[in-house]
Amino acid sequence: MRIAVHAFDGITLFHLAAPLLVFGEVDRQQLAGGWETAVWTENGRGIRTAEGPRVDDVRGPEVVDDADLLIFPSWPSDLPPTDQVLIDRVRAAHARGTRVAGLCLGAFPVVDSALLDGRAVVTHWGAAPVLARRRPGIMVNASALYLDHGDVLTSAGTASAIDACLHIVRSHLGSAAAATVARHLVVAPHRDGHQAQYVDRPIPEPAGVGHLGPTLDWALTHLDRELTVDELAGNAGMSRRNFTRRFSEATGTTPARWILARRLDEARRLLETTTWPIARIATTCGFGSAVTFRQNFVAAYATTPTSYRQRFNLPSA
């Protein structure tokens, strides 16, 4: 297994290290023979990372010619268009049967190479809108951890790269090998690719919502109530119609969707910081029942409340 990992000036050490760490562990644990990983740059010269240290043990683009797996672990934060020479190299490698992976912002050169036209793509949630505009023929999934089409894989941001690389190990060597690597790295052995990225969606500060600020603050302290639009409008001293219009202008969403998102935010906080039973969290956050809570939580985050709690190392009550 010959793996070519692309690097550039300004890449963060973590993004570059993630595939090197996971695939290097395959070799260190002697799980397979001949897994070789090489870092390469487009000019064959060393690079300086975002944190300062240099990486000089690099190869040139010729390593791509023999690679079984080509990885773009990141991309410059200003998201420049991919050079045509690099696009041609990626497309030629793909045509030879090389598997291509774009991790985090590394999805951008993969998308620029037209390998994912008409297919689903994921990247860091913060860059998803830019990626969607970059190439209208793709379908951007802003929530998944990683998406694997067999020949091309993309992943979400930062730590999701480790999940994606473990997935590659699993697809080549089986679950036992992936679990061994994960155990030595002290990470979860398997997070499903369609599990949602845990994204905080902050609301505007009260100063940014005018007269609605006090009503939003009031709602946040009364999440255990039903909180109908009429009740919110009454608290704000507005008609239902005027309140709904002003609310949409101020928050970019409807009152119902905003309240649901805040209920889920509070539920996540309680799952992470308490050992309360699921039913108590459901009641505290204003869900009609534990069943309704679970259904909404799964719809938002593609995992159950119990699984979410376990992932953050709190005992389930």
Side-chain angles (χ1 to χ4, degrees):
M1 182 74 163
R2 292 160 300 197
I3 305 164
V5 181
H6 178 263
F8 55 87
D9 269 315
I11 192 171
T12 65
L13 282 167
F14 183 94
H15 287 109
L16 182 59
L20 301 178
L21 181 65
V22 173
F23 300 134
E25 198 64 26
V26 171
D27 187 59
R28 286 187 288 273
Q29 298 303 321
Q30 300 181 335
L31 298 172
W35 276 51
E36 301 173 359
T37 305
V39 176
W40 68 281
T41 61
E42 292 171 61
N43 58 16
R45 295 195 291 268
I47 53 97
R48 185 173 296 281
T49 63
E51 294 78 9
R54 287 190 57 83
V55 177
D56 288 311
D57 186 11
V58 302
R59 306 276 299 278
E62 70 278 354
V63 299
V64 178
D65 296 340
D66 298 319
D68 301 298
L69 173 62
L70 170 59
I71 293 183
F72 291 92
S74 188
W75 196 242
S77 58
D78 59 348
L79 307 177
T82 306
D83 180 85
Q84 188 61 48
V85 173
L86 182 55
I87 288 176
D88 292 342
R89 183 169 289 116
V90 174
R91 291 181 60 82
H94 180 260
R96 290 192 300 270
T98 300
R99 193 176 189 180
V100 180
L103 310 179
C104 192
L105 298 182
F108 278 80
V110 178
V111 165
D112 285 347
S113 301
L115 300 185
L116 285 164
D117 287 1
R119 298 198 277 184
V121 185
V122 64
T123 188
H124 188 287
W125 63 268
V130 180
L131 189 64
R133 294 192 297 270
R134 183 86 152 227
R135 199 164 185 92
I138 61 174
M139 296 171 285
V140 177
N141 182 331
S143 63
L145 293 182
Y146 57 85
L147 295 172
D148 186 9
H149 297 285
D151 58 328
V152 184
L153 176 149
T154 53
S155 85
T158 319
S160 302
I162 295 177
D163 297 304
C165 291
L166 284 171
H167 167 76
I168 291 172
V169 173
R170 188 179 306 107
S171 65
H172 282 272
L173 301 177
S175 297
T180 297
V181 171
R183 184 167 59 251
H184 282 272
L185 299 183
V186 197
V187 296
H190 183 208
R191 290 203 296 168
D192 184 76
H194 292 279
Q195 178 179 310
Q197 299 180 44
Y198 297 127
V199 180
D200 285 328
R201 296 178 173 84
I203 64 171
E205 293 297 322
V209 293
H211 296 304
L212 294 183
T215 296
L216 299 188
D217 289 339
W218 176 82
L220 291 174
T221 61
H222 294 82
L223 289 175
D224 58 327
R225 299 173 57 154
E226 185 178 356
L227 295 177
T228 64
V229 175
D230 287 335
E231 187 175 16
L232 293 170
N235 184 277
M238 298 181 183
S239 68
R240 177 189 177 100
R241 180 177 180 180
N242 188 38
F243 173 80
T244 302
R245 179 180 60 80
R246 283 287 297 113
F247 194 97
S248 178
E249 291 173 352
T251 68
T253 188
T254 66
R257 289 177 179 171
W258 186 86
I259 290 295
L260 175 59
R262 303 293 73 76
R263 295 191 199 281
L264 290 169
D265 285 344
E266 179 63 7
R268 288 196 312 165
R269 186 187 70 81
L270 293 173
L271 287 168
E272 294 171 11
T273 60
T274 75
T275 57
W276 289 5
I278 297 298
R280 181 179 177 183
I281 293 177
T283 300
T284 301
C285 296
F287 294 97
S289 67
V291 172
T292 301
F293 170 45
R294 288 190 181 93
Q295 290 173 339
N296 280 279
F297 198 92
V298 170
Y301 304 120
T303 190
T304 66
T306 300
S307 295
Y308 183 93
R309 167 176 273 165
Q310 291 171 343
R311 189 161 293 113
F312 284 92
N313 298 317
L314 277 174
S316 180

